Amino acid sequence: MGIIFQILVVYFLLLVSCSANKSVPAFFTFGDSLVDVGNNNYLQTVAKELGFVNFTPPYLAPTTVGDVLLQGVNYASSGSGILNSTGSIFGDRINFDTQISNHGRTVRAIMSRIGIPAAQKLLRRAIYGVATGSNDIMVKESAPAMSEEAYLDL
């Protein structure tokens, strides 16, 4: 059942990012390998994803600047999870807290580029997608000493 849900989430996120009409000005994506479109290609890690064409650009791409930001950014990173420590076995990855911080930098850049009122309008109408947690589950499965209850509390 879990894999079917993940496939549906990815399908929805890809569908929305590919077919968003003019009423949705931007699409911002956060998460793990299910939605990483190339951020890990700029990191020292074994968890790599191929860059896709016609998707919101990866945050770490050097071309994700200027007017490109106005259509959305993908912050996802293969190997990451809800917990900041998740995925450390793969090498570098952008943890969820850092993805949120990176979005803050993007928001400031958008405000600087088009002004605060226009940025607020764009950000209110944007779609935000989050697909994360599968790596956290794999970490739990590799650390059976902790009870499920204690892990969920963590």
Side-chain angles (χ1 to χ4, degrees):
M1 183 70 169
I3 191 71
I4 293 171
F5 176 75
Q6 290 176 349
I7 290 169
L8 290 175
V9 167
V10 171
Y11 176 75
F12 171 76
L13 292 174
L14 295 178
L15 178 67
V16 170
S17 68
C18 291
S19 63
N21 64 27
K22 293 179 182 175
S23 67
V24 178
F27 189 74
F28 297 98
T29 308
F30 305 85
D32 55 25
S33 60
L34 295 174
V35 290
D36 180 355
V37 295
N39 280 307
N40 278 25
N41 293 333
Y42 300 93
L43 299 174
Q44 292 295 318
T45 181
V46 296
K48 301 274 188 189
E49 291 294 301
L50 297 176
F52 296 103
V53 180
N54 299 325
F55 291 92
T56 53
Y59 176 78
L60 293 181
T63 55
T64 307
V65 294
D67 286 346
V68 170
L69 300 175
L70 303 179
Q71 295 179 2
V73 176
N74 183 304
Y75 305 96
S77 179
S78 296
S80 69
I82 298 167
L83 300 173
N84 287 338
S85 59
T86 298
S88 60
I89 60 171
F90 300 118
D92 293 340
R93 75 261 172 250
I94 308 168
N95 64 47
F96 193 67
D97 284 350
T98 302
Q99 291 179 37
I100 299 299
S101 295
N102 290 344
H103 179 64
R105 287 184 191 89
T106 300
V107 167
R108 288 188 293 280
I110 290 172
M111 288 179 173
S112 173
R113 187 152 193 90
I114 63 174
I116 293 173
Q120 288 174 328
K121 182 179 178 182
L122 180 143
L123 295 167
R124 274 194 307 268
R125 292 175 50 216
I127 291 177
Y128 298 82
V130 179
T132 193
S134 59
N135 292 318
D136 297 292
I137 293 168
M138 287 190 300
V139 168
K140 168 58 183 130
E141 291 175 356
S142 67
M146 185 182 283
S147 72
E148 284 187 26
E149 204 169 286
Y151 187 73
L152 290 175
D153 286 344
L154 175 67

